[in-house]
């Protein structure tokens, strides 16, 4: 049969158009339903989770008799009430939903209280008798390294002979950098609403990026088959990776209460509980040791990464692997060793967060580039350019994947030119000479981010498409909407395929009983994979319609043309989409189809870090300008210029929104968002009063963003677009490095500052003082 897709010139495009997010208006007017907006049934139970107050202890006694007797309490469940397996982890089976005989972090769930009101549930929880036998707690990376405490074995990637190459290099320096974690601070916290169904089944509205994993974990927990549990999510109020795994704990509790009491049950964490009880971005300690020539070209490099994983593995294996995969960023390092320690600490288990370990690797290598430039007295941009991957040589990553689509050099050149980088660098140096208290810095950093789950089997997706007899279409797929604009993009793909107006395509909630066995919406691959799956479903229906019409009207299949909202049947006839669909129905043609997609070309040997873990790379670059008040450490990012590559964008409006949001979120991570645990393992920054995410006023006054023009994915991605969710997050490294540069100016650029992330005013001030008295972190020694 002929390919039913008409050539590009024949169709009025639905893709590559800046369509508004399908929920944008409902979201600003308040009409968009989040789970807590669903009208509450009158017999609803409200749940509260009692938490461990100790970081590490034997749970000697847990007596909930008085809790059960409290006003309004209907049920209390502990680990002993779990009918199935007391675990809701993604990989290793090491995340008990309720603590059993030990607790391993402050905030760990002890038991759940179900009451008529949330106030009653909270009040009752306090009446438990909990006896701990406290044990020494390992809280930080340094403590874990000293104790040899790891959640997973240490890994190493090595290529070439860095030890030998180092001997031949002109210069060598080393440095250490601490990189803080980050709370997801989604506007909507974790929430699950479970409703009992007949036969012991349960339906759960769960704010999750991974409905299938929640379903499977809940089924295991309740000891029922997967088909007894349905998980549904229309939209999250943000996920950012924080809802990739850990929503399952709360869904399991709500499902247990619903199935045991026969009443619907809602568990919604408030902000403080959400911040205390759920994992964050991994904080890291990084050591680098680099040798290079006088032209700045790296000859040998060794990174040692150590991350705080918390009490369980969660996704830490894949996250720390992604750090390894991104410690090169855009640079070719022939002789390299990367060691990755995955530390076990008595803190909440850290989890996925936009960039998934990649950002930490890239912060490290970008700091190293600045250190090299400083050592040689060169412009950091020059050093970066000297180390970029080549096009046909110097183009194989340390994990043996050939970089086939390297557009970093073009993006960097265009951005340097457009942002007037060189002239502004001189102006800033001049300004700093004459300005005693305000110091400015400028930095350009590039981004290369690998697209695909590094866990290869996760790179598959499914969709379900129904066409009703009036020509309206129901679209469902395995991806979840968290604000990123996935649903509108996939709807555009379907509208394009069927040549119908997008209004005809009903966007529906993600639910495990429509599309099964899905992967998390993560790794930025939501639109790549679900777009292709939905396209396949639409194509199947279109092919059936073409086959039917050709037969029915006695024309060749090649004579059937899908035009905007109409179908040409040779030169005989024109039908509307609805007319053709109605006719097909009357002639008993199936108007419903599934679609499936698996990412091609990828393969990867996890043992040896070797293969092609990524289908392709997304690129970008940013120039940030910072100003620092050296009397107070206060600072601001005043101007940012970005060029970012989204291939042939499916939706430039959504993509620009993603780029802006990601940059600001990354800037928050590296500047103001500081997580502080006390020496007992209590998170002291668990509300916006003490944890500062960016405000509107933190947005740079000048913020120029552009999509890289004439970009097109060299691979066969959905309509030649590229993933956009995570890559622009790492553009914010330029902001951090601009601050470092401003601090360095205090020593007239003679010293290279020690400045850890986040670069809070306190840290900047400390670093400025060190510059003033002539202390440097620079442990470099010419060899
Ligand atoms: N954008 C918004 N508005 N809200 C989010 O929670 N999550 C990010 C990114 N952009 C997020 C977001 C993360 S961590 C990922 S992996 C991608 O969106 C997931 O969606 P996608 O694969 O459809 O891009
Ligand atoms: N990104 C996000 N989530 C994941 C990945 C990844 O690479 N691998 C497994 N889960
Ligand atoms: Mo995103 S961290 O892969 O959910």
């Amino acid at each position: 049969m002929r390919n039913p897709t008409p050539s590009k010139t024949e169709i009025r495009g639905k893709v590559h158009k800046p369509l508004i997010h399908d929920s944008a208006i409902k979201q600003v007017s308040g009409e968009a339903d989040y789970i807590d907006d669903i009208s509450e049934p009158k017999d609803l139970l409200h749940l509260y989770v009692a938490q461990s107050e100790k970081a590490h202890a034997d749970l000697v006694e847990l007596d909930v008799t008085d809790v059960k007797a409290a006003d309004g309490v209907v049920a209390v469940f502990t680990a002993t009430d779990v009918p199935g397996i007391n675990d809701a982890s993604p990989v290793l089976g090491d995340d008990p939903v309720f603590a059993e005989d030990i607790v391993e972090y402050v905030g760990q769930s002890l038991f759940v209280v179900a009451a008529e009101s949330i106030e009653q549930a909270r009040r009752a929880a306090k009446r438990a008798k909990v006896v701990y036998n406290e044990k020494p707690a390992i809280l930080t990376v340094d403590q874990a390294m000293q104790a040899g405490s790891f959640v997973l074995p240490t890994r190493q990637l090595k290529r070439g002979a860095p030890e030998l190459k180092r001997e031949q290099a002109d210069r060598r320096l080393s440095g250490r950098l601490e990189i803080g974690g980050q709370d997801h601070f989604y506007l909507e916290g974790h929430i699950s609403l479970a409703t009992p169904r007949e036969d012991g089944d349960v339906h759960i509205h769960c704010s999750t990026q991974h409905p299938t994993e929640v379903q499977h974990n809940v089924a295991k927990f309740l000891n029922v088959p997967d088909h007894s549990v349905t998980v549904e999510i229309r939209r999250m109020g943000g996920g950012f990776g924080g809802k990739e795994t850990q929503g399952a704990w709360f869904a399991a509790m709500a499902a247990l209460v619903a199935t045991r009491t026969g009443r619907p049950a809602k568990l919604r964490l408030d902000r403080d509980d959400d911040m205390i009880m759920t994992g964050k971005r991994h904080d890291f300690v990084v050591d680098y040791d680099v040798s290079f020539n006088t032209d700045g070209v790296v000859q040998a490099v060794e990174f040692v990464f150590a991350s705080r994983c918390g009490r369980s593995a969660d996704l830490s294996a894949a996250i720390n692997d992604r750090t390894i995969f991104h410690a090169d960023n855009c640079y070719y390092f022939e002789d390299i060793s990367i060691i990755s320690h995955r530390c076990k600490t008595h803190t909440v288990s850290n989890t996925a967060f936009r960039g998934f370990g990649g950002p930490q690797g890239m912060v490290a290598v970008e700091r190293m580039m600045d250190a090299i430039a400083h050592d040689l007295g060169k412009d950091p941009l020059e050093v970066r350019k000297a180390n970029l991957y080549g096009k046909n040589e110097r183009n194989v990553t340390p994990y043996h994947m050939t970089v086939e689509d390297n557009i970093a050099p073009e993006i960097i050149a265009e951005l340097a030119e457009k942002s007037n980088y060189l002239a502004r660098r001189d102006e800033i140096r001049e300004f700093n000479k004459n300005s005693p208290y305000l110091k400015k810095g400028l930095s350009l950093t590039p981004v290369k981010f690998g697209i695909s789950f590094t866990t290869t089997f996760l790179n598959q997706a499914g969709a379900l498409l129904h066409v009703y007899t009036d020509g309206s279409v129901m679209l469902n797929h395995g991806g979840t909407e968290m604000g990123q604009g996935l649903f509108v993009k996939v709807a555009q793909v379907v509208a394009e395929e069927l040549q119908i107006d997008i209004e005809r395509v009903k966007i529906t909630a993600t639910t495990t009983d429509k599309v099964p066995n899905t992967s998390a919406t993560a790794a930025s691959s939501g639109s790549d994979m679900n777009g292709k799956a939905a396209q396949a479903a639409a194509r199947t229906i279109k092919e059936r319609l073409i086959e039917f019409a050709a037969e029915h009207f006695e024309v060749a299949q090649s004579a059937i043309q899908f035009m905007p909202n109409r179908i040409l049947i040779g030169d005989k006839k024109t039908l509307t989409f609805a007319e053709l669909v109605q006719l097909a129905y009357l002639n008993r043609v199936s108007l419903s189809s599934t679609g499936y997609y698996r990412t091609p070309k990828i393969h990867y040997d996890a043992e040896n870090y070797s293969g092609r873990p990524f289908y392709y790379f997304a690129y970008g670059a940013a120039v940030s300008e910072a100003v620092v008040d050296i009397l107070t450490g206060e600072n601001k990012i005043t101007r940012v210029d970005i060029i970012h590559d989204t291939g042939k964008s499916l939706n430039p409006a959504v993509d620009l929104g993603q780029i802006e949001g990601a940059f600001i979120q990354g800037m928050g991570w590296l500047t103001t968002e500081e997580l502080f645990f006390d020496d007992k393992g209590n998170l002291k920054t668990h509300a916006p009063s003490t944890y500062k995410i960016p405000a509107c006023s933190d947005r740079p006054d000048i913020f120029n963003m552009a999509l890289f023009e004439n970009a097109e994915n060299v691979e066969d991605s959905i309509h030649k677009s590229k993933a956009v969710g995570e890559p622009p997050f790492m553009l914010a490294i330029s902001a951090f490095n601009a601050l470092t540069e401003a601090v360095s100016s205090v020593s007239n650029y003679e010293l290279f500052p020690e400045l850890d992330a986040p670069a809070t005013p306190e840290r900047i001030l400390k670093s400025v003082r060190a510059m003033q008295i002539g202390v440097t972190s620079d442990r470099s020694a010419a060899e």
Side-chain angles (χ1 to χ4, degrees):
M1 203 182 83
R2 67 181 275 279
N3 177 353
T5 310
S7 77
K8 278 277 176 294
T9 48
E10 291 173 81
I11 46 181
R12 196 185 69 194
K14 312 288 175 190
V15 291
H16 315 308
K17 293 277 152 43
L19 293 192
I20 185 172
H21 190 292
D22 53 284
S23 297
I25 292 175
K26 290 186 278 186
Q27 279 166 332
V28 293
S29 68
E31 287 162 291
D33 276 340
Y34 295 87
I35 292 171
D36 209 30
D37 298 320
I38 296 171
S39 3
E40 296 184 349
K42 69 173 185 306
D43 55 347
L44 180 70
L45 289 172
H46 298 266
L47 312 190
Y48 183 74
V49 187
Q51 304 164 28
S52 167
E53 292 173 354
K54 305 292 176 201
H56 187 203
D58 291 324
L59 198 51
V60 179
E61 194 186 342
L62 176 59
D63 182 349
V64 293
T65 319
D66 288 350
V67 186
K68 286 184 173 162
D71 269 0
V73 171
V74 172
V76 179
F77 296 119
T78 69
T80 56
D81 301 302
V82 178
I85 298 167
N86 180 25
D87 170 66
S89 65
V91 188
L92 284 190
D94 55 351
D95 269 313
V97 176
F98 298 118
E100 293 182 9
D101 11 286
I102 55 165
V103 290
E104 291 194 288
Y105 71 101
V106 174
Q108 184 172 352
S109 310
L110 300 178
F111 59 90
V112 66
V113 189
E116 303 292 347
S117 74
I118 185 65
E119 293 75 20
Q120 288 171 323
R122 267 177 181 277
R123 220 173 294 133
K126 294 210 177 74
R127 299 168 55 144
K129 186 172 165 211
V130 190
V131 181
Y132 301 98
N133 176 18
E134 223 176 322
K135 296 171 132 179
I138 293 168
L139 299 172
T140 64
V141 166
D142 286 338
Q143 289 166 4
M145 288 302 294
Q146 227 150 44
S149 168
F150 302 109
V151 283
L152 293 156
T154 292
R155 301 295 316 271
Q156 180 176 20
L157 179 160
K158 191 168 175 190
R159 174 170 71 181
E163 314 83 353
L164 285 178
K165 285 295 176 64
R166 177 190 298 152
E167 303 301 323
Q168 299 151 17
D170 301 324
R171 307 278 306 165
R172 175 179 178 185
L173 58 81
S174 59
R176 166 171 272 232
L177 174 65
E178 290 183 17
I179 305 169
Q182 184 177 27
D183 188 84
H184 300 84
F185 223 101
Y186 24 56
L187 289 181
E188 175 207 42
H190 278 280
I191 179 166
S192 273
L193 169 61
T195 309
R197 295 271 163 93
E198 62 181 43
D199 302 326
D201 295 356
V202 62
H203 174 277
I204 311 165
H205 288 284
C206 176
S207 186
T208 174
Q209 293 170 238
H210 202 342
T212 287
E213 190 170 281
V214 172
Q215 175 201 22
H216 294 179
N217 266 318
V218 170
K220 247 182 8 185
F221 182 79
L222 296 179
N223 195 23
V224 297
D226 291 342
H227 70 207
S228 293
V229 181
T230 304
V231 176
E232 177 176 344
I233 174 66
R234 171 61 185 83
R235 62 172 69 78
M236 283 160 270
F240 304 113
K243 294 172 182 169
E244 187 169 339
T245 62
Q246 299 188 352
W249 309 343
F250 310 106
M253 296 182 211
L256 178 65
V257 171
T259 51
R260 279 303 177 84
T261 63
R263 291 173 63 173
K266 178 154 81 179
L267 200 174
R268 180 177 73 81
L269 300 183
D270 71 9
R271 178 65 56 190
D272 303 77
D273 287 341
D274 191 288
M275 290 185 77
I276 290 167
M277 299 181 77
T278 68
K280 296 147 209 329
R281 183 186 294 286
H282 292 59
D283 49 318
F284 274 67
V285 177
V286 191
D287 290 289
Y288 61 85
D289 182 336
V290 62
S291 302
F292 46 98
N293 285 347
T294 47
D295 52 7
V297 176
V298 171
Q299 303 299 303
V301 57
E302 292 185 4
F303 286 109
V304 180
F305 291 100
S307 74
R308 171 152 60 177
C309 300
R311 65 95 186 231
S312 67
D314 191 87
L315 295 173
S316 289
I319 290 166
N320 286 278
D321 279 355
R322 196 171 269 273
T323 306
I324 292 177
F325 291 132
H326 288 80
D328 61 336
N329 196 11
C330 296
Y331 312 112
Y332 178 68
F333 302 132
E334 190 162 306
D335 295 272
I336 181 168
S337 159
I338 306 172
I339 290 175
S340 161
H341 299 294
R342 294 103 198 255
C343 298
K344 170 163 177 159
T345 50
H346 297 109
T347 50
V348 62
S349 195
N350 283 329
T351 192
F353 196 142
R354 208 171 196 168
F356 204 74
Q360 294 92 326
M362 286 159 66
V363 165
V365 69
E366 292 303 338
R367 164 61 62 90
M368 188 182 93
M369 286 293 156
D370 281 358
I372 295 170
H374 180 265
D375 183 80
L376 296 172
K378 283 181 179 293
D379 175 355
L381 181 55
E382 221 176 288
V383 171
R384 288 188 164 87
K385 282 184 181 165
N387 283 290
L388 289 176
Y389 277 110
K391 302 264 186 192
N392 300 308
E393 36 152 38
R394 292 170 53 86
N395 63 347
V396 179
T397 64
Y399 46 93
H400 309 292
M401 173 170 170
T402 303
V403 182
E404 294 172 349
D405 59 352
N406 183 11
I407 50 171
E410 287 83 353
I411 292 180
I412 291 170
E414 194 181 316
L415 180 68
E417 162 91 35
K418 259 178 87 172
S419 67
N420 216 2
Y421 172 86
L422 281 177
R424 281 167 64 206
R425 193 175 138 79
D426 291 343
E427 279 164 31
I428 283 173
R429 296 217 156 195
E430 209 39 49
F431 172 92
N432 287 342
K433 263 191 218 152
N434 304 315
S435 171
Y437 304 125
L438 293 181
K439 300 288 183 187
K440 292 184 181 175
L442 188 73
S443 174
L444 185 156
T445 59
V447 166
K448 163 178 134 289
F449 193 78
I451 302 301
S452 292
F453 287 93
T454 57
T455 310
T456 305
F457 74 85
L458 295 174
N459 296 289
Q460 55 177 317
L464 177 66
L465 201 70
H466 300 328
V467 178
Y468 298 102
T469 52
D470 66 349
S472 68
V473 171
M474 190 284 312
L475 165 63
N476 195 268
H477 54 78
T480 59
E481 177 65 45
M482 56 195 102
Q484 86 277 40
L486 170 65
F487 283 10
V488 67
K489 284 184 173 178
V490 180
Q492 285 175 265
V493 169
V494 169
E496 170 86 7
E497 203 57 35
L498 299 177
Q499 284 297 298
I500 54 178
D501 291 337
I502 195 152
E503 294 74 26
R504 283 198 182 236
V505 182
K506 185 73 188 173
I507 290 171
T508 62
T510 316
T511 167
T512 54
D513 60 3
K514 281 190 178 151
V515 176
N517 310 325
T518 55
S519 295
T521 307
S524 303
S525 57
S527 49
D528 281 22
M529 296 206 305
N530 294 288
K532 278 280 190 183
Q535 185 184 48
R539 224 163 242 188
T540 302
I541 293 175
K542 184 169 161 181
E543 284 169 6
R544 286 186 204 141
L545 289 172
I546 289 173
E547 204 172 323
F548 157 71
E551 213 178 285
H552 187 83
F553 293 106
E554 297 179 337
V555 297
Q557 287 188 11
S558 59
I560 313 283
Q561 295 282 320
F562 272 66
M563 302 299 282
N565 290 316
R566 63 191 199 285
I567 293 99
L568 307 185
I569 317 284
D571 45 17
K572 288 187 183 170
K573 215 173 164 56
T574 302
L575 294 181
T576 65
F577 182 70
E579 284 165 348
L580 176 59
V581 160
Q582 173 74 18
L583 199 61
Y585 166 73
L586 292 173
N587 287 276
R588 299 187 294 171
V589 174
S590 164
L591 295 171
S592 171
S593 176
T594 58
Y596 179 78
Y597 177 71
R598 60 201 292 269
T599 310
K601 291 193 179 180
I602 48 176
H603 59 88
Y604 163 60
D605 167 8
E607 268 316 296
N608 300 306
Y609 288 112
S610 173
R612 178 176 180 160
F614 306 119
Y615 190 28
Y616 62 87
F617 295 102
Y619 296 87
V623 178
S624 289
E625 182 173 330
V627 61
V628 168
D629 178 337
I630 65 167
L631 296 178
T632 61
E634 285 169 288
N635 59 85
K636 184 163 165 72
I637 305 302
T638 50
R639 171 171 170 182
V640 173
D641 295 75
I642 290 171
I643 296 179
H644 192 80
D645 155 42
T646 61
K648 212 160 158 5
S649 170
L650 278 177
N651 183 327
V654 164
D655 285 357
L656 284 169
Q658 284 291 291
I659 293 165
E660 177 169 356
F663 181 91
I664 297 292
Q665 191 171 42
M667 190 184 83
W669 169 48
L670 292 170
T671 57
T672 60
E673 296 182 40
E674 188 174 25
L675 292 164
F676 179 80
F677 290 89
D678 70 12
D679 59 5
K680 293 280 179 199
N682 297 296
L683 176 65
K684 303 306 269 186
T685 50
H686 51 76
S689 51
T690 46
Y691 185 80
K692 191 189 175 313
I693 62 168
C696 296
S697 56
D698 293 314
R699 188 184 189 274
D701 293 334
I702 305 173
F703 199 174
N704 300 317
M705 288 181 293
L707 302 179
F708 185 52
E709 273 177 37
N710 306 320
E712 180 172 296
N713 198 332
V714 295
E715 298 299 341
D716 176 28
S717 62
I718 186 74
H719 292 289
K720 293 284 182 186
S721 65
K722 283 193 183 181
V724 69
E726 294 164 286
F729 181 90
M730 285 142 279
L731 296 170
I733 296 169
S734 60
F736 181 59
N737 288 15
L739 287 165
T740 315
E741 175 89 359
V743 171
S744 180
S745 78
V746 175
S747 70
N748 204 18
Y749 304 102
E750 275 170 21
L751 302 174
F752 191 65
E754 178 167 304
L755 183 61
D756 291 332
T760 56
E762 292 88 334
R763 287 221 175 92
I764 287 178
L765 198 56
K766 209 173 127 206
S767 193
V768 163
R769 289 278 181 269
M771 296 283 104
Q772 287 165 334
I773 58 172
V775 180
T776 175
S777 72
D778 211 339
R779 286 180 257 153
S780 64
E783 289 202 338

